[in-house]
Amino acid sequence: MERSNTTELHAWLDAQTVEGRFTGVVLARRGGEDLFTHAAGLASRGHGIPNALDTRYAVASVTKWPVAVTTLRLVERGVLDLHAPVVDLLPPAQRPAALTPAHTLHHLLSHTSGLADYFDEEDPTSESFAAAIGRLPGRGRHPADLLPLFADLPAVRPPGEAYTYCNTNFVLVGLVLEAVTGRPWADILAEEVLVPAGMAETAVEALDEDPARLATGYLLDDGPVERRRTNIFSVTANGMPDGGMLTTAGDLGLFVDALIGGRLLGPELLREMRTPHAPSTGDPEQYGYGCLLGVEDGRVRVVGHGGSDPGVACVVAHHLDAATTIIVLCNQDRGAWAATLAVTSALGLRDPRARPADVSLP
């Protein structure tokens, strides 16, 4: 990255922070080396602690990507079968009413199951997510705790017809991991991905265990930045397979390096992971196994995942042709996508999922 681009990008991110539009860290990597780093805003307003490159963040749905890789590693060893009926893998008490013998791990990992999401953000009549999890045992500490939110929901469509993003899918993946191994899903994640990738700063921890160096998540509103509320009553008490892993930008960089470098999956499943698995609609954003895909001219150009929770916004985007990874982690509801596209532009790259109105580039 040219020095002028670096200077302008730092200045733009700092201006976004002053305006309350960004708080967190940015990391761009290529060939195992850092191209650009930036940290801004406060990890804790109450204690006046600034965000830093070693600050840990909740990363919401970015968690789905390593959970999918965990599952695919078990597939690779013959412990799981991508095309086996999920009903045969789960105990009866953990089978949603809409789950049929036609539903497979392939459908769950590719978001083509047609199952209903356990929380519909687009439905203005539904109760808030915070209210829903407040009714769960312990505010949600295990994947099975989420079952009451979707156990009786009817399916949206038959499996395999279309890609529809659905958090229920990955809650079920976590339950499958536990049922097949007899161990907590987070332990399997650590054993299969976190340890092999060298992600020493990453874990699934309960928020009331006071995780080390964790940035507090803040809810955006129209009031002054310094008065924004934290997300402590707006997310589950523990991270779940569909979201909630705690990590650093550096650890996520190690994950992408290990995965794309073929150190976590063999070539066949690595290729399947980053292949769209739903009938094409022409949308530049499609889905592989546990990862979002940026597609242009029939080719996958970008692979990664985003994450959004109350008080959380993040993006991991690996540009395949340029072998460059961009990671943006925010401890507030929004700001990650705009920052991601600003870094993308400064590096001379382009994300096919970007729209002109997404960001005013520096």
Side-chain angles (χ1 to χ4, degrees):
M1 186 186 299
E2 295 181 2
R3 182 176 179 82
S4 60
N5 286 351
T6 298
T7 301
E8 290 178 8
L9 185 53
H10 281 300
W12 183 84
L13 287 165
D14 285 337
Q16 293 287 100
T17 302
V18 170
E19 296 169 2
R21 297 176 181 170
F22 178 82
T23 173
V25 295
V26 176
L27 171 63
R29 287 170 59 84
R30 180 181 296 153
E33 301 292 331
D34 295 349
L35 295 176
F36 178 84
T37 61
H38 187 94
L42 294 176
S44 170
R45 295 195 175 104
H47 295 281
I49 299 173
N51 282 311
L53 290 176
D54 66 347
T55 299
R56 301 169 76 219
Y57 296 84
V59 293
S61 287
V62 168
T63 307
K64 291 181 173 70
W65 198 7
V67 167
V69 174
T70 297
T71 308
L72 292 174
R73 281 170 64 89
L74 296 185
V75 169
E76 208 162 43
R77 296 204 301 273
V79 177
L80 287 170
D81 181 345
L82 275 173
H83 302 289
V86 175
V87 292
D88 292 344
L89 303 174
L90 292 175
Q94 294 183 355
R95 299 171 188 168
L99 195 68
T100 73
H103 290 97
T104 66
L105 274 176
H106 161 82
H107 296 125
L108 300 183
L109 292 173
S110 62
H111 286 310
T112 58
S113 72
L115 297 173
D117 209 340
Y118 65 79
F119 180 72
D120 187 355
E121 297 179 358
E122 304 300 322
D123 183 0
T125 66
S126 65
E127 67 177 339
S128 69
F129 182 64
I133 63 173
R135 297 188 286 103
L136 301 178
R139 297 188 62 84
R141 294 182 182 274
H142 309 283
D145 294 341
L146 296 177
L147 281 165
L149 300 182
F150 63 84
D152 297 322
L153 295 178
V156 175
R157 61 175 60 86
E161 284 193 354
Y163 155 55
T164 303
Y165 193 88
C166 173
N167 293 291
T168 297
N169 292 324
F170 274 77
V171 176
L172 292 174
V173 169
L175 291 172
V176 167
L177 291 175
E178 294 189 339
V180 169
T181 66
R183 299 166 57 200
W185 73 274
D187 290 355
I188 309 304
L189 170 69
E191 183 177 291
E192 295 293 337
V193 172
L194 306 186
V195 172
M199 301 169 69
E201 302 297 327
T202 304
V204 178
E205 301 176 57
L207 295 181
D208 57 3
E209 291 176 354
D210 200 15
R213 303 193 322 280
L214 178 64
T216 299
Y218 293 96
L219 308 176
L220 289 188
D221 57 33
D222 295 329
V225 172
E226 62 274 11
R227 297 293 299 275
R228 289 175 179 167
R229 293 181 297 112
T230 77
N231 67 350
I232 190 66
F233 296 124
S234 303
V235 292
T236 55
N238 210 62
M240 296 289 177
D242 64 320
M245 185 175 71
L246 310 181
T247 189
T248 64
D251 265 16
L252 288 172
L254 292 176
F255 167 70
V256 175
D257 288 350
L259 178 62
I260 300 301
R263 298 194 297 278
L264 293 178
L265 290 176
E268 181 179 347
L269 279 180
L270 182 60
R271 182 174 60 253
E272 286 294 301
M273 183 205 72
R274 61 192 201 197
T275 297
H277 292 290
S280 177
T281 61
D283 192 322
E285 181 173 285
Q286 298 183 41
Y287 210 83
Y289 284 146
C291 54
L292 287 162
L293 308 173
V295 180
E296 184 177 53
D297 298 329
R299 285 188 57 206
V300 175
R301 309 283 184 171
V302 179
V303 58
H305 218 294
S308 178
D309 264 344
V312 177
C314 45
V315 175
V316 179
H318 180 75
H319 293 253
L320 291 165
D321 292 341
T324 300
T325 304
I326 298 169
I327 299 165
V328 179
L329 309 180
C330 292
N331 58 317
Q332 66 177 27
D333 295 340
R334 291 182 293 280
W337 183 234
T340 299
L341 293 185
V343 178
T344 302
S345 176
L347 288 172
L349 303 174
R350 198 175 71 80
D351 193 312
R353 300 168 296 171
R355 299 169 299 176
D358 281 339
V359 61
S360 176
L361 298 174

